[in-house]
Amino acid sequence: MELLETFLNDLSSLMWGYPLIILLVGTHVFLTVRLKFPQRKILTAIKLSIHKDENSKGDVSQFGALATALAATIGTGNIIGVGTAIALGGPGAVMWCWLTGVFGIATKYGEGLLAVKYRQVSEKGYMVGGPMYALEYGLHAKWAGILFALFTCLATFGIGSTVQANAISTLSEEMLGVSPYIIATIVSVLTALVIIGGIKGIAKVCTALVPFMAVLYVLGCLVILCMNAEYVWPAIKLICTSAFTNEAAGGGFVGSTIMIAARYGIARGLFSNESGLGSAPIVAASAKTRNPVRQALVSSSGTFWDTVVICAITGIVIVSSVLSYCDVSELDHNILGSIFTKMLQENAASMDGGKLTTLAFSKIPYIGKPILLFGLTTFAFTTILGWAIYSQRAVEYMLGYKAVRAWTWIHVAAVFLGAVVSLDMVWAIADISNALMAIPNLLALILLSNVLAKDTNKYLWGNRLDEDDMED
């Protein structure tokens, strides 16, 4: 088992080396410029997300599609993932995670546009779409679509099920003393009961849970920031300066270079908002929308909420809490390692993302840890539901509708196993599978950028967002 963990960690580091980071960040920047900074329309995107295009083609509302996508992205990446990035890459990783979100808005926009433009009607009469259909019908490369669908199924065993179930069971065991096997059974049964209802049932659950859980979590973070008031600005400065210095990780972390901070920040940023991963477009294709650009804007707002807002707040909460815990008033990133070393010695905890996040929320008397447990549990559970849809659509694309039911039970089994396996191995599998999904999706976005630019100029910059989609 140790040899397998070592192999997976080495493979994860190799996959997330310079080539993929350059491809991911390069695509974010390229689409931002090529599409004339669609980030400027984020307020319009938020407004459209709560607007219903009832008479348009689709299976769920735009908000339902967004809520399902957010359910799949707002999860352990925002809570445990940010803490893990800080533990492994230093505070500078938060800045890289945030920048990935800002520029990733353009990529998520492009993914949503292609998903609607190339969506198809399934044999059962509902809308299906996503990168596999863009690859097949946009680039005439069905083989690449099959590869993406296969990688999506593999990713389900990482980001889509095991990571989420593992986070729930780990915190439940630490805070409540409940056996992981009991948690595994409960979460698996609940997952099965919900996903049997299909995308409409999942969308209803996510539409009800996502806004509530997000507001509760953010309120908890704001309370902690108020308690850490004198350390908030120093934490922000430390995050910014540590992202661009070769001493970013100090003496107490795994590495000590900008690349380490960027590697973990970008990897966790992708894990959190999934911009460039190609997962969210799968559910975006089901939305009722007048034209591809409207849903593209709605999809892009998901990255804004997920990373630009929630991940940033989580990062500042954790770093400021550590500084508060160590009572550090004069900051120098050269002493960052000793700061965390002191924290670990006094707190007698291993340095991992879950412990850092738990430490931050424990500052709220009595209800801090319950808020964290409730937030993580609901975030992770809805992520499992969202990824159930993603993987079902991928299986349907490869093998047809008849294979979906069998896959559903495989997904449920993965949830159970995820709750009882090693966390290090789970995170390594998640990073590897994310990378495998991202590569064909990013290449499709780049190769179809002319299509993206044409529709963006027509509907967005041509002030024709209210028009129905018609062939020229």
Side-chain angles (χ1 to χ4, degrees):
M1 188 64 70
E2 291 181 2
L3 288 175
L4 179 59
E5 288 188 18
T6 300
F7 170 76
L8 290 173
N9 285 325
D10 290 344
L11 180 59
S12 175
S13 297
L14 177 64
M15 295 286 292
W16 282 101
Y18 283 108
L20 184 54
I21 288 180
I22 291 172
L23 176 62
L24 178 62
V25 177
T27 302
H28 288 347
V29 175
F30 170 71
L31 291 179
T32 294
V33 176
R34 184 77 174 84
L35 303 180
K36 302 176 184 178
F37 293 82
Q39 290 91 333
R40 291 182 288 161
K41 292 292 186 177
I42 192 63
L43 293 179
T44 300
I46 294 172
K47 180 180 178 181
L48 286 175
S49 69
I50 58 176
H51 180 83
K52 293 184 178 181
D53 287 350
E54 289 291 0
N55 297 323
S56 301
K57 295 180 180 179
D59 302 304
V60 297
S61 68
Q62 288 179 313
F63 183 74
L66 175 63
T68 304
L70 279 174
T73 54
I74 300 180
T76 56
N78 304 85
I79 303 176
I80 304 299
V82 174
T84 301
I86 294 171
L88 296 175
V94 177
M95 185 66 178
W96 285 104
C97 182
W98 186 79
L99 287 173
T100 301
V102 171
F103 286 98
I105 289 174
T107 300
K108 185 64 73 69
Y109 168 91
E111 292 174 327
L113 195 158
L114 294 180
V116 175
K117 188 172 186 66
Y118 294 110
R119 67 185 180 180
Q120 305 292 312
V121 179
S122 73
E123 59 181 274
K124 293 295 182 178
Y126 52 78
M127 293 291 184
V128 291
M132 51 275 203
Y133 293 91
L135 287 163
E136 179 178 353
Y137 295 98
L139 295 176
H140 308 290
K142 185 171 183 177
W143 62 270
I146 292 174
L147 279 179
F148 176 85
L150 176 61
F151 295 152
T152 300
C153 292
L154 291 176
T156 302
F157 295 116
I159 185 175
S161 57
T162 54
V163 164
Q164 313 303 329
N166 190 285
I168 295 173
S169 66
T170 299
L171 272 184
S172 297
E173 184 178 22
E174 289 178 359
M175 295 183 183
L176 304 177
V178 181
S179 169
Y181 290 93
I182 294 177
I183 297 300
T185 301
I186 294 173
V187 176
S188 299
V189 170
L190 290 176
T191 299
L193 290 175
V194 176
I195 64 178
I196 287 174
I199 188 170
K200 291 184 178 180
I202 291 176
K204 288 181 180 179
V205 173
C206 294
T207 300
L209 284 179
V210 168
F212 174 73
M213 68 187 189
V215 169
L216 180 62
Y217 178 74
V218 170
L219 286 176
C221 288
L222 292 177
V223 170
I224 296 173
L225 291 178
C226 290
M227 298 175 70
N228 295 342
E230 64 179 298
Y231 299 97
V232 171
W233 180 242
I236 293 174
K237 290 196 296 183
L238 188 58
I239 287 170
C240 294
T241 57
S242 296
F244 304 105
T245 172
N246 280 333
E247 297 297 329
F253 292 94
V254 173
S256 59
T257 65
I258 295 174
M259 186 59 189
I260 293 294
R263 179 254 191 270
Y264 286 105
I266 292 172
R268 291 295 174 258
L270 175 62
F271 184 90
S272 171
N273 61 53
E274 299 180 15
S275 294
L277 191 61
S279 51
I282 296 174
V283 70
S286 300
K288 296 178 181 178
T289 185
R290 298 179 192 176
N291 58 66
V293 171
R294 285 174 73 90
Q295 183 55 37
L297 286 170
V298 173
S299 294
S300 72
S301 69
T303 298
F304 171 79
W305 292 120
D306 180 273
T307 305
V308 178
V309 177
I310 295 180
C311 276
I313 291 176
T314 301
I316 297 171
V317 162
I318 292 174
V319 176
S320 65
S321 294
V322 172
L323 298 180
S324 171
Y325 182 88
C326 299
D327 194 22
V328 177
S329 55
E330 296 297 328
L331 294 177
D332 181 345
H333 46 258
N334 289 326
I335 66 170
L336 189 57
S338 62
I339 292 174
F340 275 83
T341 298
K342 178 182 177 182
M343 180 203 74
L344 298 174
Q345 290 174 344
E346 295 184 5
N347 201 46
S350 59
M351 184 169 60
D352 61 56
K355 293 289 176 57
L356 288 177
T357 309
T358 302
L359 177 71
F361 272 80
S362 65
K363 293 181 69 69
I364 304 178
Y366 305 111
I367 63 172
K369 289 185 178 180
I371 289 176
L372 175 61
L373 179 60
F374 176 78
L376 177 67
T377 299
T378 51
F379 283 163
F381 179 65
T382 53
T383 297
I384 292 171
L385 298 181
W387 270 87
I389 289 295
Y390 298 160
S391 59
Q392 285 178 348
R393 292 290 191 264
V395 168
E396 184 175 1
Y397 178 80
M398 292 188 295
L399 303 175
Y401 180 78
K402 292 182 179 179
V404 171
R405 182 172 293 276
W407 175 261
T408 296
W409 294 113
I410 294 175
H411 183 81
V412 172
V415 172
F416 184 91
L417 291 175
V420 296
V421 298
S422 165
L423 181 63
D424 290 337
M425 183 183 295
V426 167
W427 278 108
I429 293 173
D431 281 345
I432 292 168
S433 54
N434 285 356
L436 290 172
M437 281 185 69
I439 293 171
N441 179 59
L442 292 171
L443 292 176
L445 286 166
I446 294 171
L447 294 174
L448 291 171
S449 60
N450 286 336
V451 175
L452 294 174
K454 179 182 177 181
D455 278 13
T456 299
N457 289 333
K458 175 182 177 180
Y459 291 107
L460 185 59
W461 306 126
N463 295 319
R464 299 164 69 178
L465 280 175
D466 291 332
E467 289 188 10
D468 288 329
D469 182 28
M470 296 181 293
E471 295 293 331
D472 291 329

